[in-house]
Amino acid sequence: MDAREKEIEKLKDYKYGFSTDIENTRAPKGLNEEVIKFISNIKKEPKWMLDWRLKAFERLKQLKEPNWQKPKYPKIDYQDLYYYSAPKSMDDKPKSLDELDPKLLETYKKLGIPLQEQARLNGIAVDAVFDSVSVATTFKGELNKKGIIFCSMSEAIREHPELVKKYLGSVIPLSDHYFATLNSAVFTDGSFVYIPEGVRCPMELSTYFRINATETGQFERTLIIADKGSYVSYLEGCTAPMRDENQLHAANVELIALDDAEIKYSTVQNWYPGDKNGVGGIYNFVTKRGLCKGKNSKISWTQVETGSAITWKYPSCILKGDNSVGEFYSIAITNNHQKADTGTKMIHLGKNTKSKIISKGISAGFADNTYRGLVDIARNADNARNFTQCDSLLMGNKCGAHTVPYIKNKNSSSNIEHEATTSKISEEQLFYCNQRGLNQEEAVSLIVNGFCKEVLQQLPMEFAVEAQKLVGISLEGSVG
Amino acid sequence: MLKIKNLKAKIDNKEILKGLNLEIKPGEVHAIMGPNGSGKSTLSNVLSGKKGYTVSGDVTYLNENLLDLEIEERAHKGIFLAFQYPLEIPGVNTNIFLKTSLNAIKKAKGEKELDAIEFLKLVKQKAGELKFDEKILSRQLNVGFSGGEKKKNEILQMSILNPKLSILDETDSGLDIDALKIVSEGVNALRSKESSFLIITHYQRLLEYIKPDFVHVLINGQIVKSGGSELALELENKGYESLS
Ligand SMILES: Nc1ncnc2c1ncn2[C@@H]1O[C@H](COP(=O)(O)OP(=O)(O)O)[C@@H](O)[C@H]1O
Ligand SMILES: [Mg+2]
């Protein structure tokens, strides 16, 4: 293969691997107070926000990077990273899409996320985050009419300080753990959602995260508040160019559901996974936590994790309100040298709280996939219920799957069920599919999609088809 | 249509097919009978292209060297195997499996693929002909199907895919008389000048409903006797011992 052919082969594997050639404004390299002030300043933040960041930074100095996870990685030099990078054209934030750099519009179009008025996805409002800034948010006006706030985090800090002050850090405390604290100090952009009392959000809200700049970490911060009796379905998608370096994406996502409110949060994570030999790829170290604060509230996480060199995250629910419900539906696919250590924590505090965990781990090539979960039932959480099902599917015999379920139960009226299976795609199943005219890749995709069905069903329809394709694509070349 | 010359197949250094010869012309129905372990399933596997065998000999199918083709290419070119033990695929809806299969074959042949509505119409018609309960088709593929349902599902797939050469590996085993009739009707409905059948069975019973043009006796990896449909009756009465 010559260089061009190689490039094409690579593109076939990961079609979001292109990069956009654009002039950037960057913070000076490294992690220090000056850089934090730079970020806060360029985002025109009020002083309380800067103070909050600096407090986190002080705290960070006393924290150690955790090391208990299964996938190990080389030491990250935090002084050798850029913490802010944004297209220069965003310096004076364009007022409308017409003023937006055509290169950015083109990038999102290529990613299948058209931002222009006439081409927009039907019924889906999009916040497009490019490196450290939100470049555009669609359908803002329409949503506003219902009192819904959907904007970038940076804008929310300026325009809705009372909400941000009240809820930011209320689910993931400023000094929760190393990466969460790092994020609190240097977070750049992400989405902010507020659904007022009694409102059912009329469309899917989504954020598309794109990493473009080199040597840059992305520190996303998202905050979603569903007021009493409201409902919202939110989806995030992620891609990045193919590079030989490992890039860090350390996000904090906080969800708050008040009385009778429901938040459905779906993720289709397709960061660059690295090449076949495990060179490059994103370190996806993310803290996601939802608080079912009110009675009868519900938070449901659905994740389809197919990308990243390392995925390390536990989208969790704190079930504080009586009768609140937490759900976690997960597909984690690791191929080649990818690694995942993911799962959830369900913390039952209120009475009659219910949680459900469905995890599907698929491992191929030399990959390693760990489900790690905690079901924690507090002393006063009478009649708490949990159901957990962890299924692993192995392809080939060089990959690994592990299930680490922790249970802490302090209330004898609770009911906890746990089921786990490990299986392989059998030669006979493949032969059967091949005999019916499917080639190897189609057969694997069909069988794996069947294995993941319970989780795929949870995705909003608009994304289910994409996710199904992604499941097939991410396993290409995994059987000989 | 199919010409097999001196076909040998080994697995784990154990020779299972030991020089088998057989010719099937378009429109013909051939039955293969033989005791357990004689190599009947091995023959259907080797013809469908299953991996893991060391194969030698010549097999020509529609003027092509069959042994050069991948499993799915053989399927695209009209070879269908009704499995002795159909596989379960959890989470995969039977209808979706069928549609994926039909469209993969259509695509390979350069024909227009069916959309969901066209497909469901076709399934409804075929299932009706086979008196096959459509509700079963919205269940996961073969999961929790009874033995009879699995076999009928194979025949339904066969009639939808409309193959040129259908190989039925003991499809009749374990079927009650009603199911047996349905299966036979499915085969008979597909019989035409262009389509051929290789029917593997233990029992003469099936051959009362599907009249074969030829019957072959397979013992220890070789065809030891061939004849017309009367041979099946003879076997039923005298047993295989008389031939070995
Ligand atoms: N994978 C295998 N490994 C070893 N021996 C096998 C394998 N498959 C089949 N055999 C042997 O080959 C012989 C023929 O098997 P098979 O073709 O299944 O017979 P039939 O279908 O006529 O009952 C049997 O002795 C069986 O044990
Ligand atoms: Mg057999």
Side-chain angles (χ1 to χ4, degrees), chain A residues 426-440 442 446-447 449-451 453, chain B residues 45 50 71-72 75-76 79-81 83 88-92 97 100-101 104 142 154 157:
Chain A
S426 74
E427 287 299 320
E428 293 288 331
Q429 281 176 324
L430 288 172
F431 174 47
Y432 191 60
C433 294
N434 294 151
Q435 209 300 304
R436 294 298 186 265
L438 309 188
N439 64 31
Q440 204 72 339
E442 291 164 334
L446 184 92
I447 295 170
N449 269 297
F451 175 76
K453 188 177 180 180
Chain B
N45 288 342
K50 191 175 182 197
I71 310 167
E72 65 270 19
H76 299 159
I79 290 187
F80 179 89
L81 169 62
F83 280 60
E88 297 183 3
I89 307 189
V92 175
F97 178 74
T100 312
S101 161
N142 290 325
E154 293 291 286
Q157 292 181 47

Side-chain angles (χ1 to χ4, degrees), chain B residues 40-41 84 169-170:
Chain B
K40 302 185 297 297
S41 291
Q84 183 174 2
D169 189 1
E170 291 200 32

Side-chain angles (χ1 to χ4, degrees), chain B residues 7-125:
Chain B
L7 179 66
K8 293 181 181 170
K10 264 201 275 193
I11 194 158
D12 296 339
N13 271 325
K14 182 181 167 193
E15 191 155 61
I16 301 170
L17 299 181
K18 302 172 179 170
L20 190 141
N21 298 293
L22 181 66
E23 181 171 1
I24 302 181
K25 295 209 173 78
E28 289 178 353
V29 175
H30 289 242
I32 290 195
M33 302 182 76
N36 275 331
S38 56
K40 302 185 297 297
S41 291
T42 304
L43 175 63
S44 25
N45 288 342
V46 167
L47 292 178
S48 336
K50 191 175 182 197
K51 306 267 160 45
Y53 299 96
T54 314
V55 180
S56 69
D58 284 325
V59 183
T60 319
Y61 171 70
L62 298 175
N63 304 319
E64 261 188 285
N65 183 356
L66 184 71
L67 301 178
D68 284 347
L69 302 177
E70 290 294 333
I71 310 167
E72 65 270 19
E73 290 174 314
R74 301 183 196 199
H76 299 159
K77 290 177 196 284
I79 290 187
F80 179 89
L81 169 62
F83 280 60
Q84 183 174 2
Y85 305 107
L87 276 294
E88 297 183 3
I89 307 189
V92 175
N93 176 291
T94 305
N95 261 325
I96 290 178
F97 178 74
L98 252 169
K99 176 166 173 264
T100 312
S101 161
L102 179 64
N103 281 339
I105 292 173
K106 283 197 175 287
K107 191 172 160 198
K109 291 203 281 197
E111 292 174 9
K112 189 179 155 290
E113 296 173 43
L114 295 193
D115 64 28
I117 295 167
E118 294 166 325
F119 172 77
L120 287 173
K121 211 175 128 193
L122 177 68
V123 169
K124 206 180 171 71
Q125 182 211 331

Side-chain angles (χ1 to χ4, degrees), chain A residues 64-101:
Chain A
K64 266 213 172 92
E65 219 170 310
N67 191 33
W68 45 262
Q69 82 287 3
K70 185 114 195 333
K72 303 298 181 208
Y73 52 91
K75 207 161 170 43
I76 298 170
D77 183 353
Y78 291 94
Q79 297 305 338
D80 196 33
L81 286 180
Y82 290 102
Y83 288 82
Y84 180 91
S85 175
K88 219 179 190 81
S89 61
M90 296 302 295
D91 281 0
D92 339 271
K93 192 167 168 52
K95 307 229 162 13
S96 70
L97 281 169
D98 302 335
E99 293 172 2
L100 198 63
D101 186 338

